[in-house]
């Protein structure tokens, strides 16, 4: 990182954490230069960068101010009811009907689960693929199926080290995307009929996996910024024979909530006391806007109770279907289950990603990707404030590419979904994120695509539809 980028990052952090509030003046160039010991031109360059990212704006003869992330900032959603719900899961039909209807490439993809494919280094990955295949030994074509590509395993372990997790290599199981890893983990520690604690709202595939494995969900309420309600979880663990937890401690889908380190430690201690394993879904870990990755709950794990699942689908190579789990004490059972089901992810895809991680400039790509996503988040927030009803609430995640909107009570988001789709706009309606079909007035919108006039018009159209409820 260059000096001005580092300085810009410091100011961005002050804005994100609320120390510098919307509308507030940022330190003048002279003041900043003196206080932070950087040259005035470094401050100028940093402020241009922050302006470009939509975080501050210049006012004639007055200096720079934190942008009202949007002229009329929307409030954060309410905390849901504090009571946990236990229920059978039956959402697949609803989820499939929503996902089916948003496949049309002409639809504005606010309902999509992926960022724009143009944000990924696909041509560079293709070069890695051909290079890796030229070098792949006949022995490895077969051997890498069971153990996984050794270079890839090392590269993944190295990235864990950077985020503060020491990992034994034999804990790592390479999988067909994180979704396979998550499925295997859950199968390893549960049997049909068992109770599993999940978030409310939760990633819809979590609900589908529970449904497929005939498991019951204990829905734990979420705080939109700080993650699961630990008191409610503690109460459920006390009262119910919960067999596993499936949580996202960072950049949760759909809320974007990220737990503090203290909360992660407290969660781990709680689960440790009850000896309940945690399946930690951390597929958005690389998409943080701040300078460094958050520690996962796995970093507090002393006795292998946490199965930490990651993936390249969201940060590098969608469609390559390469993910993994650091499986702790369950690693061997997970590995065996994988050998009995899909055997292995594609060996060429693993080799291509391993080559890219070593030679392709992954960190440079990630910096560009995070920058694009943060800029687009600013654009969507500003647009929502212009076009959506004033009572609308919205999250403000510190990474990723989803915003969670809570509309006025009278809005039925499944109906909103149909009306929007008829106008060529998709969105992910709230009820697909809940086993109990809650969140009927909420929706998740994707800002993973470059913001353009069409996105702005789509937000305006959504605003007009919302006004009809
Ligand atoms: C929260 C969450 N977990 C897991 C996955 C699945 O990841 P992968 O594509 O690597 O299987 C997704 C993808 O949408 C996700 O959003």
């Amino acid at each position: 990182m260059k000096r001005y980028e580092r300085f810009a990052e410091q100011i961005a952090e002050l804005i994100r954490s609320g120390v510098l509030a919307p509308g507030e003046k940022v330190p003048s160039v002279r003041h900043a230069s003196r206080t932070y010991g950087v040259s005035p031109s470094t401050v100028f360059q940093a402020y241009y960068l922050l302006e470009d990212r939509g975080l501050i704006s210049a006012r004639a003869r007055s200096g720079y101010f934190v942008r009202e992330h949007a002229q009329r900032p929307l409030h954060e959603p309410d905390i849901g009811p504090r009571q946990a719900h236990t229920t059978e899961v039956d959402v697949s039909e609803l989820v499939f009907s929503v996902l089916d209807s948003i496949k049309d490439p002409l639809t504005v993809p606010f309902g999509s689960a992926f960022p724009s494919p143009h944000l990924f280094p696909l041509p560079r990955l293709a070069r890695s693929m051909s290079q890796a295949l030229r070098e792949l030994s006949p022995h490895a074509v077969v051997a890498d199926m069971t153990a996984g590509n050794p270079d890839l395993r090392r590269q993944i372990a190295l990235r864990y080290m950077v985020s503060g997790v020491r990992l034994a290599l034999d804990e790592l199981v390479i999988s067909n995307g994180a979704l396979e890893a998550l499925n295997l983990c859950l199968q390893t520690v549960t049997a049909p009929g068992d109770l599993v604690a999940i978030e409310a709202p939760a990633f819809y595939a979590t609900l589908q996996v529970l449904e497929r494995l005939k498991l019951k969900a204990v829905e734990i309420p979420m705080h939109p910024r700080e993650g699961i309600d630990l008191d409610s979880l503690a109460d459920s663990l006390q009262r119910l024979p919960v067999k596993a937890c499936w949580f996202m401690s960072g950049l949760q889908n759909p809320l974007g909530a990220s737990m503090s380190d203290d909360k992660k430690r407290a969660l781990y201690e709680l689960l440790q006391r009850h000896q309940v394993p945690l399946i930690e879904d951390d597929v958005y870990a690389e998409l943080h806007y701040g300078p460094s990755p958050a520690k996962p709950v796995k970093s507090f794990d002393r006795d292998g109770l946490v199965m930490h699942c990651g993936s390249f689908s969201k940060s590098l190579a969608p469609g390559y279907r390469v993910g993994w789990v650091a499986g702790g004490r369950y690693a061997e059972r997970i590995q065996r289950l994988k050998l009995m089901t899909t055997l292995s992810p594609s060996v060429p895809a693993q080799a291509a990603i391993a080559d890219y991680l070593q030679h392709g400039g992954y960190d440079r790509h990630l910096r560009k990707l995070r920058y694009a996503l943060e800029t687009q988040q600013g654009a969507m927030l500003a647009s929502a404030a212009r076009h959506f009803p004033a009572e609308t609430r919205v999250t403000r995640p510190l990474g990723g590419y989803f915003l969670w909107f809570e509309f006025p009570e009278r809005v039925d988001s499944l109906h909103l979904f149909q009306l929007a789709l008829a106008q060529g706009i998709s969105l992910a309606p709230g009820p697909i994120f809940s086993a109990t079909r809650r969140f009927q007035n909420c929706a998740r919108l994707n800002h993973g695509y470059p913001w353009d006039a069409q996105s702005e018009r789509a937000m305006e159209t959504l605003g007009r539809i919302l006004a009809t409820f």
Side-chain angles (χ1 to χ4, degrees):
M1 237 192 231
K2 300 209 172 78
R3 196 159 199 187
Y4 76 92
E5 288 173 324
R6 261 202 316 275
F7 178 61
E9 196 44 58
Q10 277 176 279
I11 300 289
E13 200 56 44
L14 293 176
I15 296 173
R16 281 187 214 108
S17 61
V19 173
L20 280 171
E24 203 163 317
K25 193 170 186 311
V26 298
S28 71
V29 174
R30 193 176 336 142
H31 181 78
S33 154
R34 229 184 288 131
T35 318
Y36 292 92
V38 290
S39 73
S41 78
T42 300
V43 180
F44 265 123
Q45 272 182 303
Y47 285 2
Y48 290 148
L49 186 64
L50 291 169
E51 202 177 12
D52 205 29
R53 283 160 79 172
L55 291 178
I56 63 174
S57 59
R59 285 189 207 154
R61 287 187 298 281
S62 314
Y64 283 93
F65 291 79
V66 178
R67 271 183 58 177
E68 303 278 353
H69 239 235
Q71 297 68 16
R72 176 165 53 86
L74 298 171
H75 292 290
E76 190 172 68
D78 277 335
I79 305 178
R82 295 177 69 85
Q83 206 98 61
H85 286 264
T86 304
T87 179
E88 307 215 333
V89 190
D90 173 20
V91 290
S92 260
E93 279 309 315
L94 176 62
V95 172
F96 282 132
S97 73
V98 170
L99 296 185
D100 265 3
S101 56
I102 61 182
K103 281 187 194 145
D104 183 349
L106 295 178
T107 303
V108 179
F110 291 160
S112 168
F114 289 94
S116 163
H118 299 292
L119 294 174
F120 296 107
L122 299 178
R124 180 64 189 80
L125 266 172
R127 278 200 348 251
S128 276
M129 175 72 94
S130 65
Q131 178 70 19
L133 287 187
R134 273 199 300 274
E135 286 171 5
L136 199 64
S137 78
H139 173 73
V141 176
V142 177
D144 287 2
M145 270 200 289
T146 39
N149 180 297
D151 290 333
L152 179 64
R153 295 166 63 84
R154 267 196 303 278
Q155 291 293 327
I156 294 173
L158 273 175
R159 297 197 76 80
Y160 271 101
M161 231 174 68
V162 172
S163 60
V165 186
R166 284 229 322 271
L167 206 68
L169 264 182
D170 56 9
E171 252 197 82
L172 264 183
V173 180
I174 309 292
S175 57
N176 287 282
L179 198 53
E180 183 187 37
L182 292 156
N183 270 275
L184 294 174
C185 293
L186 204 54
Q187 272 173 281
T188 299
V189 293
T190 61
D194 283 348
L195 296 182
V196 178
I198 61 167
E199 297 147 339
F203 170 43
Y204 45 75
T206 307
L207 303 168
Q208 290 180 301
V209 175
L210 264 63
E211 184 175 335
R212 185 177 70 78
L213 298 177
K214 301 197 167 27
L215 298 162
K216 290 198 191 110
V218 181
E219 290 195 311
I220 308 294
M222 291 280 288
H223 183 282
R225 198 168 358 98
E226 293 161 13
I228 53 155
D229 184 318
L230 276 190
D231 291 340
S232 172
L233 176 65
D235 177 60
S236 295
L237 294 178
Q238 194 68 41
R239 287 186 299 107
L240 302 166
V242 171
K243 287 288 162 50
C245 294
W246 174 338
F247 296 145
M248 301 185 70
S249 64
L251 300 175
Q252 192 259 0
N253 179 3
L255 290 178
S258 292
M259 293 183 194
S260 65
D261 283 355
D262 284 349
K263 191 163 176 182
K264 286 176 197 164
R265 186 182 287 109
L267 168 62
Y268 174 73
E269 300 295 344
L270 176 66
L271 296 180
Q272 224 258 347
R273 268 200 306 283
H274 290 268
Q275 280 299 298
V276 172
L278 171 65
I279 300 166
E280 186 174 22
D281 179 355
D282 206 8
V283 296
Y284 297 98
E286 299 281 17
L287 302 186
H288 52 87
Y289 300 158
S292 41
K295 280 184 185 176
V297 178
K298 179 80 183 163
S299 65
F300 301 103
D301 189 6
R302 292 187 302 272
D303 60 354
L305 200 59
V306 181
M307 292 163 265
H308 182 262
C309 302
S311 170
F312 293 107
S313 299
K314 311 293 181 177
S315 55
L316 177 64
Y320 277 55
R321 306 305 303 141
V322 177
W324 68 90
V325 51
R329 63 168 90 151
Y330 308 99
E332 191 179 344
R333 279 153 67 193
I334 295 170
Q335 171 75 353
R336 289 188 170 178
L337 204 53
K338 191 192 71 163
L339 295 180
M340 285 192 284
T341 47
T342 59
L343 185 58
S344 164
S346 145
V347 169
Q350 292 183 60
I353 293 183
D355 181 89
Y356 178 88
L357 293 177
Q358 280 170 292
H359 310 293
Y362 189 33
D363 285 308
R364 196 170 54 242
H365 152 68
L366 284 174
R367 277 198 296 277
K368 269 170 59 186
L369 177 63
R370 293 173 191 139
Y371 176 77
L373 297 179
E374 184 174 19
T375 308
Q376 288 156 206
Q377 184 195 75
M380 183 175 261
L381 282 167
S383 184
R386 276 193 291 278
H387 301 300
F388 288 4
E391 316 99 284
T392 304
R393 291 166 177 269
V394 66
T395 52
R396 179 93 183 272
L398 302 174
Y401 49 90
F402 296 130
L403 292 179
W404 177 258
F405 287 91
E406 188 181 287
F407 301 118
E409 287 279 337
R410 58 184 181 277
V411 174
D412 172 357
S413 67
L414 287 171
H415 193 201
L416 170 71
F417 166 74
Q418 298 295 352
L419 295 173
L421 204 59
Q423 303 282 329
I425 305 162
S426 70
L427 53 85
I432 67 171
F433 299 96
S434 163
T436 39
R437 311 244 170 144
R438 288 162 53 206
F439 311 110
Q440 58 79 28
N441 59 326
C442 300
R444 187 194 73 183
L445 265 61
N446 175 322
H447 58 78
Y449 282 71
W451 200 258
D452 58 13
Q454 189 195 33
S455 330
E456 190 63 33
R457 273 198 306 279
M459 291 294 279
E460 199 180 340
T461 305
L462 284 181
R464 267 203 306 278
I465 301 173
L466 283 164
T468 63
F469 279 91

